Amino acid sequence: MPSNALAHTDTLMPFMRNVARCEGALRELNLMWRLIEASAKMNCPQEAHSILPMVAATREGFQRLEGDLVTSLVQESMGKVMAEIGTHARHVIDIVVRNLYERTADVGFLATDQELCRFVAGTDNARPVLARLREYRSKYTVYDDILLLDLQGNVLAQTDENSPVEGSRDPLLAQTLQSQGYVETFRATDLRPGKPHALIYSHRMLHPRTGEPVGVLCLSFAFQEEMQGIFHSRQNEDQRNIALLLDADNRVIASADPLWVAVGARVPVNQHGASPLLLHGGRTYLTQTVVAQGYQDYPGPPGWRGQVMVPIELAFLAQANRAIDQLEPAIAQGLLAHAHRFCPPLYDIVRAADTIRRVVWNGQVMSAGPSGGAQKLKAVLEQIGETGARTNEVFDQSIRDLYDTVLSSSMRDSEFLTQLLVDLLDRNLYERANDCRWWAQASVLRTLLADGVQGAAAACQMLEHINSLYTVYTRLVVYDRQGCIVAASRPTCQDGSSVLGTWVEPATLAAVLALPSTQSYHVTPWGPSPLDDGKSTCVYHAAIRAPDNDGSVLGGIGVVFNASGEFAAMLHGAVAGKLNTVAVFVDRHGEILASTDPARPVGQHLELPPDMQALPAGASLARAMVHDAHYCIVGCSASNGYREFKVSDGYRHDVLALSFESFGAVQSSAMDAAHRQRTVLVSDPPAPDSQEMATFFVDTGLFALDTQGVLEALPASAIATVSAGRLPYCVGALARKAQGNITGYVWVFDLGHLLRGTPSQITPHSQVIVLEHDGRRIGLLVNELHGVTTFASHRIMQAPALGHYSGQLVHRLIKANQGQVLVQCLDVEKLMSILRRPAEAAARALPDDAAAGVADTTPAHRLAA
């Protein structure tokens, strides 16, 4: 959302309190650096000559960073809200379309029910048709009414006794009679009196013998009830936003809160790159509008869209729990190392802040020590130190705020994604439980099992017709009391064999024969099934009972759900367009039921954290964690059932949906970086015998140098890999500059390699400290700068003598922070002695001007501009 956020920065800023606070602090610091520069120029221009380039560089860099940081905070805050409401809007429309797809199949099949057709044709009036329709509605509870009408629109049968209808003049009847398929109608209709609108699926019914139209079947979908279930199943806890379903004219046809935005209201929409800031009812909203993706070639009702709106004054309210505060420090630091991939502005700002910190560190080094009686300069230097420390503080907090915004956005999006997936799963499987129970009532199948194989051809034909409408099934099978399959759709398996004449498992047969009523069903445990060509699935079974309704079970029907195809389609559809993201369905034991990750196929075991494995039904969470040696944002949601399915019907099969958004490989140095970030040194009050030390890190160890020997710090990224023969510990040469011009070169030595015996890894945080001693200059590669700290003399003690390099180099120890932290002081003279011979020999390997720089003893600017 960068361009939109940029265009609306002035409008958005007053509502982004965290950003406004950050901007205020940055503006104040910017002013302080300007005042320091102006004060130095006016009060002590000669004395401050050497520090003015540093102050100017700090001010200019700070000014650039101030604008970038505020802009990025606005962009990411805006992006977080837009992503969240966009996912919510997608949830609304996708759930609706997938649900209504099932309705198109239902009406097409029920309209061919022979008992119903004979009743409408007037050839079989004795059958208890109303009881049959109520039996259907007791299974498919998404319908609030079912009606049978004749050619004149007279109602022959109706299930809803509370809204009786004698006849209808609705034009949908004529349209349905002229159509060979279903007709979908959404508006006010006399078929559902007293309702402002109804969603009706109608299909013509044909005479069993002549094939001529004899009437119309109408299924009335419980639209308002269903929409409230969709809205409130995942309503945000603080109810800051409102979810809507819109028609093609941008009118609200369903609202999560009709008192807020009423049904029938016309609202502005955000589509095709339109402005997300929209005005409605005197309030400004951030808005996301999402069109239907379609499902199984069904596009959904024409023009329907999901929309979520959040008032601008509520959009950016601070969350009670910050995502970054819950992170393990090593994961937080490791993720930040990959910021260039998931948030380039954050990465750029971190790099720019490192540059400013280095300049501030250099200023602190410069301001350390006696000022030669120049009180005016001393005051300027003290102000540089104080302002530098405050600058680092503000940068750390601002970057942390930006990081948290980016992180929490990804976590919330992952959580929403998995919530959508378990909703889709439960709603889909609800239909499977309905289908098997209803189809078990078909007279053709009951007659087949009662009379023997004479009706097998008719049964197979009916099953093929069903399978053509309900394409989510691999096949449908009917078996007798012995478990022998006597009829099937698509009977030929992939290996060329037929399922006809094969047998269902004894345990499944026993469970089906024991089902107590027509409302009961049985689901086989998840696993490979011969009925699905060896692929893992669940098969839904219902008992087929005798035609005379004496309750005796003659056999059963099994509907073989194409789990491999349907689950994969759900997962792939959900992660489409999401880079570096995979999703899986797993059971409570971690067995993978479906996956978009080629490295995690179906059947493999996935290790889950205990709290995810035990996540309560209907609950969800998201966190940053390490997965497959990558830093990932992981979302997890547990299924909760739908309507009575897996809620009150006795069946349980908990499924977890997980998404993994990878941000990059685990950084081996992340733990060290996290430790360095947490390390704080407390300065002692200045005293005549106290000492100011420039501090820095090698790995997690704190080291110190006397500020009098430190010239400056430079970025390690500027090291040139110049060949120096076999010069030990040398990683290259580094140019030093003043006023933009190169004044010389120094060899850079890897201090970590010298101390620990193994080469250091150069990271974006790595720095080079330039030292001068007895007219010689070298650079030391270190992991990170810390600051300039004053230590009282009683905290400094001699280090015990050791024989190896590190023992010779560390000649004093500082017991900082009341003895809680140990700082190692380097002996610069000993360090120079150790490196003297190799460095002098290597000077001949540098270019002429570089060699001159190494050997140069002329005083240079202590700080590069």
Side-chain angles (χ1 to χ4, degrees), residues 149 170 276 808:
L149 299 95
D170 196 301
Q808 297 176 49

Side-chain angles (χ1 to χ4, degrees), residues 83 97 106 125 154 172 211 216 233 300-301 305 310 335 355 370 385 425 445 568 647 673 699 833 837:
V97 168
D106 286 352
N125 294 322
N154 298 308
L172 77 83
V216 173
S233 66
R305 288 153 295 164
V310 56
L335 268 170
T355 301
L425 179 86
L445 303 184
V647 175
D699 299 329
S833 175
R837 288 182 182 176

Side-chain angles (χ1 to χ4, degrees), residues 752-766:
H753 191 181
L754 181 65
L755 294 173
R756 84 173 85 82
T758 56
S760 300
Q761 178 186 3
I762 297 180
T763 72
H765 297 290
S766 299

Side-chain angles (χ1 to χ4, degrees), residues 103 106 136 138-143 427-440 473 518-519 521 540 542 559 642-645 649:
R103 314 293 62 92
D106 286 352
Y136 185 87
S138 70
K139 294 170 175 56
Y140 296 86
T141 55
V142 293
Y143 298 114
R427 290 164 183 271
N428 191 307
L429 298 184
Y430 158 84
E431 304 289 347
R432 314 297 62 96
N434 296 341
D435 291 346
C436 71
R437 291 179 296 166
W438 176 248
W439 297 335
Y473 296 113
T518 59
Q519 285 295 98
Y521 65 96
Y540 288 71
V559 297
Y642 171 62
R643 292 182 175 267
E644 68 280 357
F645 175 68
D649 62 2

Side-chain angles (χ1 to χ4, degrees), residues 23-24 43 194 280 354 365 511 531 549 580 617 624 698 716 765 768 810 844:
E23 185 189 38
N43 297 325
H280 175 69
D354 282 344
V365 168
L531 295 178
N549 292 319
N580 306 312
V698 175
H765 297 290
V768 175
V810 178
R844 295 189 294 271

Side-chain angles (χ1 to χ4, degrees), residues 375-395:
Q375 291 302 314
K376 292 179 181 179
L377 178 60
K378 183 177 179 65
V380 170
L381 294 175
E382 287 176 353
Q383 192 60 54
I384 287 174
E386 292 176 13
T387 305
R390 173 64 181 146
T391 299
N392 284 338
E393 227 176 87
V394 171
F395 279 161

